[in-house]
């Protein structure tokens, strides 16, 4: 009995009287979480990105050009009340955020409903010393059954420009097919060669002799096709297209350095 009393006395001396609050008691005997051990129910946060690991598009200057704007609505679907200019701007906004997250310095020819000339768009890109230029558009056709995605590049451009356009196209189409596997791939097309831009006619905003950065123009679908137009108006589909384009930029950056293909005039 005396031995048991001595043990109890010793415990009281070492630890003191146990608090009635269990949490307070635990904090006494385990005031801090040992390294490498997580307390039950503790919030677990993702580690910050390693500052020594460069982002995929770190240092790239990319100009996004949402086509049309202001008094120029672009293609329209009057049955659904949709205008191309609004779809272009929405997708560009999503894409800008994604590219910034990858380290790119992203500029936009317009961030609101304003009208710009073709020359103003090209000149803006050149003034920004862009490494890449992408113009976003929505297609239209008299045949309301036409649908799908196509991408344009100047037929006289060098191979880096054509590879850039092809890569963006491939990834955008692949992402669209996750939404609808039947989405037509209308292929890469050549301004100055492929109808209707043939016989010396060229898409002005991506002219090889006027813009310095490798330039492409993506037609994201047909607003004249009601089913595809409804899809293009949905924010989830707009984000999906932007994701495909962003993945295309990352893949292109694996193949080329940012300075590659930029023309010094």
């Amino acid at each position: 009995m005396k031995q048991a009393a001595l043990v109890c006395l010793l415990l009281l001396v070492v630890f003191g009287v146990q608090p009635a609050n269990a949490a307070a008691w635990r904090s006494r005997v385990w005031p801090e979480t040992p390294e490498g051990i997580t307390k039950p129910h503790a919030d677990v946060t993702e580690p910050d990105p390693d500052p020594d690991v460069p982002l995929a598009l770190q240092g790239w200057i990319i100009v996004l050009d949402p086509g049309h704007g202001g008094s120029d609505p672009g293609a329209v679907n009057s049955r659904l009340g949709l205008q191309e200019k609004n779809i272009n701007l929405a997708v560009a906004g999503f894409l800008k955020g994604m590219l910034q997250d990858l380290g790119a310095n992203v500029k936009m020819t317009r961030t609101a409903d304003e009208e710009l000339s073709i020359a103003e768009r090209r000149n803006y890109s050149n003034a920004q010393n862009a490494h890449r230029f992408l113009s976003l558009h929505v297609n239209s056709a008299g045949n309301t059954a036409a649908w799908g995605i196509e991408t344009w590049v100047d037929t006289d451009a060098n191979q880096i420009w054509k590879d850039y356009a092809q890569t963006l196209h491939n990834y955008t189409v692949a992402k669209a097919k996750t939404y609808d596997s039947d989405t037509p791939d209308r292929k890469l097309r050549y301004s100055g060669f492929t109808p209707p831009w043939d016989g010396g006619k060229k898409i002005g905003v991506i002219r090889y002799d006027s813009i310095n950065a490798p330039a492409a123009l993506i037609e994201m679908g047909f607003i004249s096709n009601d089913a595809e137009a409804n899809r293009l108006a949905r924010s989830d589909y707009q984000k999906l297209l932007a994701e495909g384009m962003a993945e295309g930029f990352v893949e292109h950056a694996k193949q080329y350095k940012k300075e590659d293909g930029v023309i010094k005039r």
Side-chain angles (χ1 to χ4, degrees), residues 31-258:
E32 294 182 353
T33 303
E35 185 177 355
I37 297 177
T38 303
K39 289 182 180 179
H41 311 300
D43 292 332
V44 179
T45 58
E46 292 294 327
D48 292 331
D50 188 338
D52 296 326
V53 177
L55 297 172
L57 298 176
Q58 191 71 47
W60 288 63
I61 302 172
I62 298 173
V63 171
L64 301 180
D65 173 44
H68 308 284
S71 62
D72 173 17
V76 299
N77 184 319
S78 56
R79 296 181 299 277
L80 301 177
L82 297 176
Q83 297 182 332
E84 177 188 356
K85 65 178 183 179
N86 299 324
I87 296 170
N88 298 341
L89 185 59
V91 176
F94 289 129
L95 180 55
K96 177 182 180 180
M98 295 174 189
L99 295 177
Q100 286 177 326
D101 288 344
L102 291 165
N105 180 4
V106 184
K107 310 290 186 179
M108 290 176 60
T109 56
R110 69 180 180 96
T111 58
D113 187 17
E114 57 184 318
E115 187 170 354
L116 297 168
S117 70
I118 295 299
E120 285 175 321
R121 296 168 193 266
R122 290 191 311 243
N123 293 342
Y124 177 80
S125 179
N126 292 344
Q128 298 301 316
N129 296 313
H131 297 115
R132 296 297 182 270
F133 176 90
L134 177 61
S135 192
L136 299 174
H137 286 259
V138 171
N139 224 331
S140 183
N143 175 12
T144 57
W147 67 304
I149 299 170
E150 64 191 44
T151 302
W152 291 83
V153 66
D154 194 305
T155 191
D156 295 320
N158 64 45
Q159 193 58 47
I160 296 172
W161 290 46
K162 293 174 181 177
D163 289 346
Y164 163 63
Q166 186 70 71
T167 300
L168 290 190
H169 175 80
N170 291 347
Y171 276 80
T172 305
V173 171
K175 190 63 73 169
K177 283 183 177 291
T178 67
Y179 192 94
D180 184 342
S181 60
D182 292 329
T183 301
D185 179 352
R186 294 175 58 88
K187 308 298 182 183
L188 185 65
R189 300 179 176 226
Y190 298 94
S191 172
F193 179 79
T194 307
W197 293 99
D198 58 346
K201 295 180 295 182
K202 283 194 173 184
I203 300 173
V205 77
I206 57 170
R207 286 188 65 105
Y208 183 60
D209 59 1
S210 302
I211 193 166
N212 298 339
L217 183 151
I218 296 182
E219 296 276 11
M220 300 177 286
F222 281 77
I223 201 171
S224 50
N225 180 306
D226 285 357
E228 191 164 41
N230 272 312
R231 183 179 304 174
L232 287 164
R234 293 174 56 99
S235 62
D236 59 342
Y237 189 66
Q238 293 167 356
K239 290 178 184 177
L240 195 72
L241 292 175
E243 287 172 7
M245 295 174 204
E247 291 173 6
F249 272 105
V250 171
E251 180 60 28
H252 178 67
K254 294 176 183 177
Q255 302 168 4
Y256 293 103
K257 295 181 293 185
K258 60 182 184 292

Side-chain angles (χ1 to χ4, degrees), residues 3-19 25 28-29:
Q3 193 173 17
L6 286 172
V7 171
C8 290
L9 181 60
L10 180 61
L11 287 172
L12 288 172
V13 170
V14 174
F15 293 104
V17 179
Q18 179 179 345
W25 170 250
R28 253 184 152 179
V29 297

